Amino acid sequence: MSEAPSGSEEPEAAGDGMSALAEALRAENAAVYAYEFVAGAAGDEGRSEHGLALASEHKVARTELRQAILDREGSPPAVEPTYPLPSGRDGDTLDDFAVGVENTCAHAALWLTAADDTDLRVTGARLLQQATVRALEWGGELDALPGYETR
Amino acid sequence: MGQAAGGVSRRALLGATVAGASAAALAGCGTVDWYPSDTTPDEHVLRSLLREKERAVVRYETALADGSGPSDLLERVLENHRTHLDALLDALPEDAEPTPPEEDGPPPVAADEDPELGEAPSPSSLRAMEASAAGMRPEQAAAVTDRGLAQLIGSIGACEAGHAHQLDEA
């Protein structure tokens, strides 16, 4: 789940915003799927409820990004039938998986902050903050510059 | 983390940022006269961020010296702010003055010049400072002409939101 978005992520490539929007929406689609899985797979109520709550939050982001694409006369990427899932179901595995989900969303959001469209930049910066905090909630580490890939 | 974006080193990315900012400033010459004459809009935002970061560093150093708050966390947050400061300095145009022009704001802060900075801040006031800073970053990212700089500002804001969360949890 922590795989980087495909294609170039350099600021120049994000100029028109549509590619970055599509990548952010793909990340949100995957996040909704992931958290619905976490909610069902978790053996404890806390993780399950947290997973459900975050699935709802990502659905809100998904709707917002999808609408932003439609408003710009673009075609939202389709939801995939399945997304990668962890093989384990224990708490640590699920936590690590959730951190990876949020890091993927953060990376896509960072790309969106490079859009020429300033509304999209604001959206990207906001989504990046949200993903960063959610990753911390799952036990992730805080990087000095969230969203950038580790070499 | 923080060394690369899309396989491009952060320093290279920011180098492109500066070049882009300079080009944009030249293209817009004559239309941005509400900024100080020798300062581009991007540099104006950068200077503002640099002053904020300098103040943040002083506040965390003061908190650590005073022993108020969780020292391990405060050390990590301070290190993040120093990283931000370095990245913002890297993003300044190569021909920029090392200190801000006088009309662009006050010189770098020092605790003995600002009474507020001499007082040890509580964790709750640091948390409020981080939350406030994070809240400003999306609009600042939108205000600059260079896309790479917008990314840097957005990323700094995310880190600050993380600081606020960690201070709240501590």
Side-chain angles (χ1 to χ4, degrees):
Chain A
M1 287 302 294
S2 60
E3 186 178 337
S6 58
S8 172
E9 300 132 2
E10 293 177 42
E12 290 74 14
D16 68 3
M18 194 54 71
S19 299
L21 260 178
E23 199 57 51
L25 180 53
R26 287 189 194 97
E28 294 298 334
N29 284 337
V32 170
Y33 185 90
Y35 279 122
E36 287 179 341
F37 163 79
V38 169
D44 63 288
E45 194 174 344
R47 276 193 184 82
S48 182
E49 287 183 356
H50 196 194
L52 272 181
L54 295 191
S56 294
E57 288 188 21
H58 282 283
K59 282 177 185 173
V60 171
R62 182 176 68 176
T63 300
E64 180 184 3
L65 293 169
R66 180 180 165 79
Q67 189 60 49
I69 291 174
L70 293 173
D71 289 346
R72 290 161 179 78
E73 300 180 349
S75 299
V79 176
E80 301 291 334
T82 62
Y83 292 89
L85 295 173
S87 53
R89 302 289 189 269
D90 62 279
D92 288 346
T93 299
L94 293 177
D95 289 353
D96 290 346
F97 173 64
V99 169
V101 166
E102 296 300 345
N103 286 342
T104 300
C105 288
H107 190 64
L110 179 68
W111 190 9
L112 196 56
T113 63
D116 282 335
D117 184 328
T118 54
D119 287 344
L120 295 184
R121 281 192 196 177
V122 170
T123 298
R126 179 169 46 80
L127 293 177
L128 178 55
Q129 291 190 17
Q130 292 170 355
T132 300
V133 171
R134 285 192 294 251
L136 293 176
E137 290 172 355
W138 289 107
E141 302 262 325
L142 179 61
D143 295 317
L145 292 171
Y148 289 97
E149 280 191 87
T150 304
R151 191 181 288 279
Chain B
M1 185 175 272
Q3 297 306 304
V8 179
S9 74
R10 182 171 57 77
R11 186 171 292 273
L13 184 75
L14 295 175
T17 292
V18 171
S22 301
L26 287 172
C29 187
T31 62
V32 289
D33 55 0
W34 54 87
Y35 290 97
S37 57
D38 294 334
T39 306
T40 66
D42 286 12
E43 189 179 341
H44 186 81
V45 173
L46 269 170
R47 296 288 188 194
S48 170
L49 282 162
L50 282 166
R51 285 194 297 274
E52 266 190 66
K53 286 295 164 185
E54 286 164 351
R55 290 176 65 88
V57 166
V58 170
R59 287 177 70 94
Y60 278 95
E61 286 174 342
T62 305
L64 280 163
D66 185 66
S68 57
S71 59
D72 286 354
L73 174 59
L74 297 185
E75 289 276 8
R76 291 199 303 274
V77 173
L78 174 59
E79 191 55 37
N80 286 340
H81 282 302
R82 285 180 174 144
T83 300
H84 299 162
L85 195 53
D86 288 345
L88 292 165
L89 285 168
D90 282 350
L92 278 174
E94 286 182 5
D95 59 351
E97 294 290 328
T99 54
E102 280 188 16
E103 67 269 35
D104 197 27
V109 293
D112 58 357
E113 295 172 0
D114 185 340
E116 184 185 332
L117 293 177
E119 298 172 8
S122 65
S124 63
S125 70
L126 292 172
R127 193 209 67 78
M129 177 189 75
E130 298 284 358
S132 172
M136 291 190 295
R137 301 304 175 231
E139 292 299 335
Q140 288 175 321
V144 298
T145 59
D146 184 78
R147 295 190 287 264
L149 179 56
Q151 283 187 316
L152 175 62
I153 294 169
S155 184
I156 287 172
C159 187
E160 291 162 339
H163 291 162
H165 173 79
Q166 290 179 321
L167 287 162
D168 201 34
E169 296 284 299

